[in-house]
Amino acid sequence: MAQINPYLIFNGNCEEAFTFYKSVFGGEFALMSKYKDMPPADGSKIADTDAERIMHVSYPIGKNAILLGGDANAQSGDVIFGNNVHVSMNTESEEEAKKIFEGLSNGGTITMPLEKTFWGAYFGMCIDKFGINWMVNYDYPKE
């Protein structure tokens, strides 16, 4: 069955926020990457002002809970608080990801089509017809 985790979006202070959460919950980040670490897409380059912002952080805070997050960037624009929380769903297969994504986006808005990514996942984002932001992810097995 799929796993659901909160995904928090910030306007440039994600690292500060997650460092604070780490001081509260303890433990270590599983991953923290910055936009400057991302390969260019379609020949485009990330804005210099976004290079040091957090592209993605994964922070296990319990046996079955992972707090996820990242910073908005120039391309996406700043988030408005209230729209800065996404429900992130990790599925057990590409087929499950496709089924869930198609269901959630039906009557809603696809903000990033479900596709294979450079980080080794099948990933997409949408806003359902009730205004809830969703991220659907399937991680391909590591080689």
Side-chain angles (χ1 to χ4, degrees), residues 61-74:
I61 59 171
K63 184 177 178 183
N64 295 313
I66 301 173
L67 188 59
L68 303 167
D71 281 313
N73 60 42

Side-chain angles (χ1 to χ4, degrees), residues 8-14 17 21 70-72 78-85:
L8 310 177
I9 311 293
F10 297 87
N11 287 326
N13 61 342
C14 179
Y21 300 145
D71 281 313
D78 283 348
V79 293
I80 299 168
F81 287 88
N83 288 338
N84 63 319
V85 177

Side-chain angles (χ1 to χ4, degrees), residues 57-133:
V57 59
S58 176
Y59 175 47
I61 59 171
K63 184 177 178 183
N64 295 313
I66 301 173
L67 188 59
L68 303 167
D71 281 313
N73 60 42
Q75 183 179 3
S76 65
D78 283 348
V79 293
I80 299 168
F81 287 88
N83 288 338
N84 63 319
V85 177
H86 291 64
V87 179
S88 176
M89 174 171 275
N90 288 321
T91 64
E92 293 182 353
S93 69
E94 192 173 305
E95 295 76 27
E96 183 184 27
K98 185 175 180 178
K99 179 183 176 194
I100 289 171
F101 188 81
E102 287 175 355
L104 290 170
S105 62
N106 185 21
T109 304
I110 295 173
T111 56
M112 180 179 175
L114 193 60
E115 60 191 10
K116 292 181 181 181
T117 65
F118 70 87
W119 63 85
Y122 191 50
F123 178 83
M125 297 189 309
C126 66
I127 303 169
D128 71 20
K129 62 184 174 183
F130 302 103
I132 304 300
N133 293 290

Side-chain angles (χ1 to χ4, degrees), residues 18-29:
F18 271 76
T19 299
F20 168 74
Y21 300 145
K22 185 176 167 185
S23 76
V24 173
F25 297 113
E28 297 297 325
F29 301 126

